Amino acid sequence: MPNADNWQGDVLRDLRGTPPPQRAQSHGAAHGHRPAQEQQQPPQEQPRTGAPAPGPNTPASSPAPAAPPARMQRPARSPDSRPVVDSALSGTARRPRQGEPAAARVSRAIRRIVSSSAAREVAEITRTAERIQQPVTTGRQIAVTSIRGGAGKTTVAALLGTAYAHYRQDPVLLVEADPALGSLPLRLGAETLRWTTADLAEIVEPQMSLLDVTGYLVQLPDNAWLLPGSQGRIGAMLDTAAYERVMVALRRYFGVTVVDCETLPAEVARVALSAAQARVLAAPATLDGITSTYAVLQWMQGLPSHMIAGTVVALTSTTSRPGIDVEDAAEKLRSTGATVHVLPHDRHLAAGGALRTELLARPTRLAATRLAAEVFQLSQKRR
């Protein structure tokens, strides 16, 4: 288990399968984790061994054998793996599209060649990456929510988690705290699901190592893991006690945790927002979207000042030609004290399938990286 002095070094060593000093262990897989397809059952309780029962020749003063150390308990049930997309529906998906048309990509490339914008862009990306890569003393938790469904909060959560996993060296966790048919696993390209947040709440123990924990998670690219909220079944529940237990236990292992919350004002979402070091409020770039978001930000002005100061609005353009002036709307929202970032319309994101960063439009990638850097910087200001 990581120590307080160099927890990032501990978890990275644990992930790579390098035994810690004076405590060599066998870690099995080459990279120190078990793939989701090969997740094993948690270790069973070993039979206790000790002295035999006292007999007639056993002295009455013989000390009782010492109790064995506490071990991870076997879960009450072992769920079966389920596919993220039903086989009857998987064939309906079309081939993923590029985020912007070919003509726009060619025009952008020509402009970058004949102007000095390419150098400026590289310099900006470098500065943004440095902000994201700053070390942390304790894991940062970032909660993403929205006022209503269809606002793009799961897409924003996936973009943030992907950016952190790409730029950071320490492990990144994405948690789906939206068990009511949440779509985060689909967005992240997961194929099968098994253990959920509610399941892990019954299993997680303080003495578990990172390798124990990742055995219950879905592995993603770039040193990232996913903890689903459900298996795609209607009626899955997640209460605040289970959520808090999981988040407190897992915080020590992951440098950044992105939480895809339920829509407000759900109880778990309120707990997640209050416990997070930074919050992202996804809002569609529509008149009703900014109206409801503005009302929530005005309400947040009556809360402790760190709440709205640590909130970023991700204003997402749902169509190529929004029905409002997006920049004017962003300025209106900024007047409440919140930070606002605009995510441009992207055909690849609008399709609703698995997120593939190589297909994103360049403006979308830049905007998502800036958003990730801004949110991470705000999270660093809260302990």
Side-chain angles (χ1 to χ4, degrees):
M1 185 166 55
N3 60 59
D5 297 328
N6 185 20
W7 72 272
Q8 288 175 289
D10 287 345
V11 295
L12 287 173
R13 181 180 59 217
D14 206 3
L15 280 172
R16 297 185 180 113
T18 306
Q22 301 179 356
R23 190 168 65 89
Q25 298 181 6
S26 174
H27 293 290
H31 297 286
H33 59 260
R34 290 167 290 183
Q37 294 83 354
E38 300 178 3
Q39 291 174 349
Q40 302 175 358
Q41 297 294 337
Q44 300 184 21
E45 185 77 18
Q46 299 295 325
R48 299 185 178 183
T49 59
N57 297 324
T58 304
S61 59
S62 297
R71 297 180 61 85
M72 184 172 58
Q73 298 297 317
R74 183 183 178 89
R77 62 186 181 86
S78 178
D80 296 327
S81 296
R82 291 176 59 90
V84 173
V85 179
D86 190 279
S87 58
L89 301 175
S90 58
T92 63
R94 292 181 175 178
R95 183 178 178 180
R97 303 175 69 189
Q98 287 281 350
E100 59 184 347
R105 298 197 302 272
V106 172
S107 176
R108 190 184 310 281
I110 293 175
R111 290 198 303 269
R112 294 178 71 246
I113 292 174
V114 301
S115 68
S116 60
S117 61
R120 292 196 302 269
E121 186 176 293
V122 170
E124 179 189 359
I125 293 175
T126 302
R127 290 192 300 269
T128 303
E130 290 174 349
R131 295 170 65 190
I132 296 177
Q133 292 167 348
Q134 290 181 6
V136 296
T137 54
T138 57
R140 305 286 88 188
Q141 293 182 8
I142 296 168
V144 183
T145 189
S146 62
I147 308 303
R148 57 182 175 81
K153 70 174 180 63
T154 298
T155 298
V156 171
L159 288 171
L160 289 176
T162 301
Y164 295 134
H166 176 73
Y167 286 106
R168 296 188 62 81
Q169 295 298 314
D170 47 13
V172 173
L173 176 65
L174 292 100
V175 176
E176 186 181 46
D178 185 0
L181 297 180
S183 58
L184 185 60
L186 173 62
R187 273 307 210 186
L188 293 172
E191 296 181 357
T192 59
L193 304 177
R194 187 175 184 184
W195 305 95
T196 68
T197 307
D199 294 328
L200 195 57
E202 302 176 1
I203 301 168
V204 66
E205 296 291 346
Q207 69 269 20
M208 292 174 69
S209 70
L210 180 62
L211 295 179
D212 293 327
V213 170
T214 55
Y216 296 102
L217 306 177
V218 179
Q219 185 184 358
L220 302 172
D222 292 330
N223 206 25
W225 279 267
L226 164 68
L227 179 57
S230 71
Q231 290 187 322
R233 293 171 172 167
I234 296 176
M237 299 297 294
L238 176 64
D239 56 37
T240 57
Y243 174 80
E244 290 174 342
R245 177 175 172 80
V246 168
M247 297 304 291
V248 169
L250 297 186
R251 181 176 176 180
R252 73 183 69 136
Y253 301 110
F254 298 93
V256 179
T257 298
V258 178
V259 185
D260 180 18
C261 301
E262 298 172 290
T263 55
L264 292 172
E267 185 178 5
V268 173
R270 295 200 303 269
V271 172
L273 290 173
S274 62
Q277 284 77 41
R279 290 151 294 279
V280 179
L281 188 61
T286 60
L287 183 58
D288 60 337
I290 63 168
T291 300
S292 56
T293 302
Y294 185 66
V296 169
L297 294 176
Q298 287 182 312
W299 169 76
M300 291 181 67
Q301 287 179 317
L303 302 177
S305 58
H306 73 268
M307 289 295 292
I308 196 165
T311 299
V312 178
V313 176
L315 196 57
T316 58
S317 297
T318 55
T319 64
S320 57
R321 295 181 61 86
I324 61 172
D325 188 317
V326 177
E327 291 302 327
D328 283 351
E331 285 301 319
K332 183 64 175 178
L333 297 177
R334 292 188 184 103
S335 67
T336 62
T339 304
V340 180
H341 280 260
V342 177
L343 291 175
H345 174 68
D346 189 287
R347 297 191 310 177
H348 176 60
L349 291 180
L355 173 62
R356 292 175 52 182
T357 54
E358 73 275 11
L359 296 181
L360 292 174
R362 190 168 189 84
T364 305
R365 290 200 300 270
L366 294 176
T369 306
R370 294 189 200 103
L371 173 63
E374 182 75 33
V375 175
F376 182 74
Q377 287 290 105
L378 291 178
S379 74
Q380 289 281 63
K381 297 178 181 180
R382 289 285 298 170
R383 298 302 174 190

